[in-house]
Amino acid sequence: MPQTVKGVISLSKGADVEVVDVVVPDPGPGEAVVKIETCGVCHTDLHYREGGINDDYPFLLGHEAAGYVEAVGEGVTDVAPGDFVILNWRAVCGQCRACAKGKPWYCFNTANATQKMSLTDGTELTPALGIGAFIEKTLVAAGQCTKVPEADAAAVGLLGCGVMAGFGAAVNTGGVTRGDSVAVIGCGGVGNAAIAGAQVAGATTIIAVDVSDAKLEQARHFGATHTVNSKDTDAVEAIRSLTGGNGADVVVEAVGRPETYEQAFYARDLAGTVVLVGVPTPDQQVTLPMIDIFGRGGSLKSSWYGDCLPSRDFPMLVELYKQGRFDLDAFVSERIGLGDIEPAFEKMHRGEVLRSVVEL
């Protein structure tokens, strides 16, 4: 029968989030109920609260989560009660034109739970990214559950969004490989994950660019071999000088602003690759001379969720973490409770944390 649990919702644009009672239905066909262990506080949740995604209030926030499957509905075979899982917001369908082409990470028909969670008065909730994980238990499509080896949920749960986005931007989208030179502009959680991914992939020159010395020092921990404070130094010239005057093979833009994208464009080598993983606002535009786009060759790419395939990438990255080759613990700045999310938003906005992680 349905369960009533505590969850965090956003009732209206800009209003502080609230901890309330939420009704979670029993799983129907193709669905699963997951007991949440941890959930990271991501910028996307703040975007939901601010109306930056849509206006389907009230929202059940949270999506960067790990936990244990409690129950599954009819027809579910990939996961079972008791499985430790990371939640993902791209449950591939296996049938759309992208999946049929063997590129399921581009799936155009990803699944969410059919049923709705609700307030006790029956008001239906919109779960953030189809997950809604600032809650003791959540209802998702079973395909949103990726079974992985058991590990510290606070660390590996971050693979559900930000860390995977950055790691995948470098490795999956950018194709970073042995001996490459890589520059990453913007050293928050996503940028540092791109740096860590470049190191794991074997890049030999990894240049971190930011306006904060503290963030640049942190970037060194994740594998940056050089740092550039673009507040004091021309980032393009610095990247070129550190790569023999040529520019980097791959430049990851993890800010999402026109000025930093332009830096990324001109800081790459001829035939190099630019990867945009920073999320711009709808009003932002970039203007580049077409002759430069043509003359420099290479690739200008965007990376959505790190072009990841959760069933392939999550277990592999958890194993790297357990082997000590991918320091997910370093992304966890603090562990907090359900009632601490509003202050966590403020810390995130001020750039004081990589990730605040809610533990339930």
Side-chain angles (χ1 to χ4, degrees), residues 219-278:
R220 286 191 177 275
H221 172 83
F222 289 102
T225 58
H226 304 80
T227 59
V228 175
N229 189 321
S230 57
K231 186 169 60 177
D232 308 318
T233 305
D234 185 297
V236 175
E237 291 304 317
I239 292 168
R240 286 181 174 173
S241 69
L242 292 168
T243 53
N246 301 316
D249 296 309
V250 179
V251 184
V252 177
E253 201 278 45
V255 181
R257 294 190 58 83
E259 58 269 31
T260 45
Y261 187 84
E262 185 173 331
Q263 288 174 342
F265 178 82
Y266 286 110
R268 66 180 176 134
D269 196 359
L270 291 173
T273 299
V274 173
V275 178
L276 174 65
V277 67

Side-chain angles (χ1 to χ4, degrees), residues 36-60:
I36 300 298
E37 294 290 308
T38 62
C39 185
V41 180
C42 175
H43 274 93
T44 302
D45 295 304
L46 185 57
H47 289 326
Y48 271 101
R49 195 200 73 174
E50 295 301 307
I53 307 295
N54 57 54
D55 58 357
D56 294 335
Y57 294 93
F59 294 114
L60 175 61

Side-chain angles (χ1 to χ4, degrees), residues 2-9 18-25 32-39 60-63 65-71 83-85 87 117-118 120 125 131-140 153 336-339 341 358-360:
Q3 304 178 66
T4 300
V5 299
K6 295 294 183 184
V8 174
I9 67 167
E18 301 177 31
V19 180
V20 299
D21 287 333
V22 176
V23 179
V24 181
V33 169
V34 178
K35 181 179 181 296
I36 300 298
E37 294 290 308
T38 62
C39 185
L60 175 61
L61 299 181
H63 60 278
Y68 291 90
V69 175
E70 181 179 87
D83 286 348
F84 180 65
V85 296
L87 299 185
M117 292 174 278
S118 66
T120 53
L125 298 171
I131 292 177
F134 288 151
I135 192 171
E136 294 167 331
K137 298 177 184 180
T138 194
L139 177 76
V140 293
I336 62 175
L338 272 181
I341 290 172
V358 175
E359 291 189 315
L360 292 109

Side-chain angles (χ1 to χ4, degrees), residues 29-32 34 76 79 87-88 91 111-114 130 139-145:
E31 296 176 340
V34 178
V76 175
V79 292
L87 299 185
N88 73 79
N112 295 319
T114 301
L139 177 76
V140 293
Q144 293 179 282
C145 302

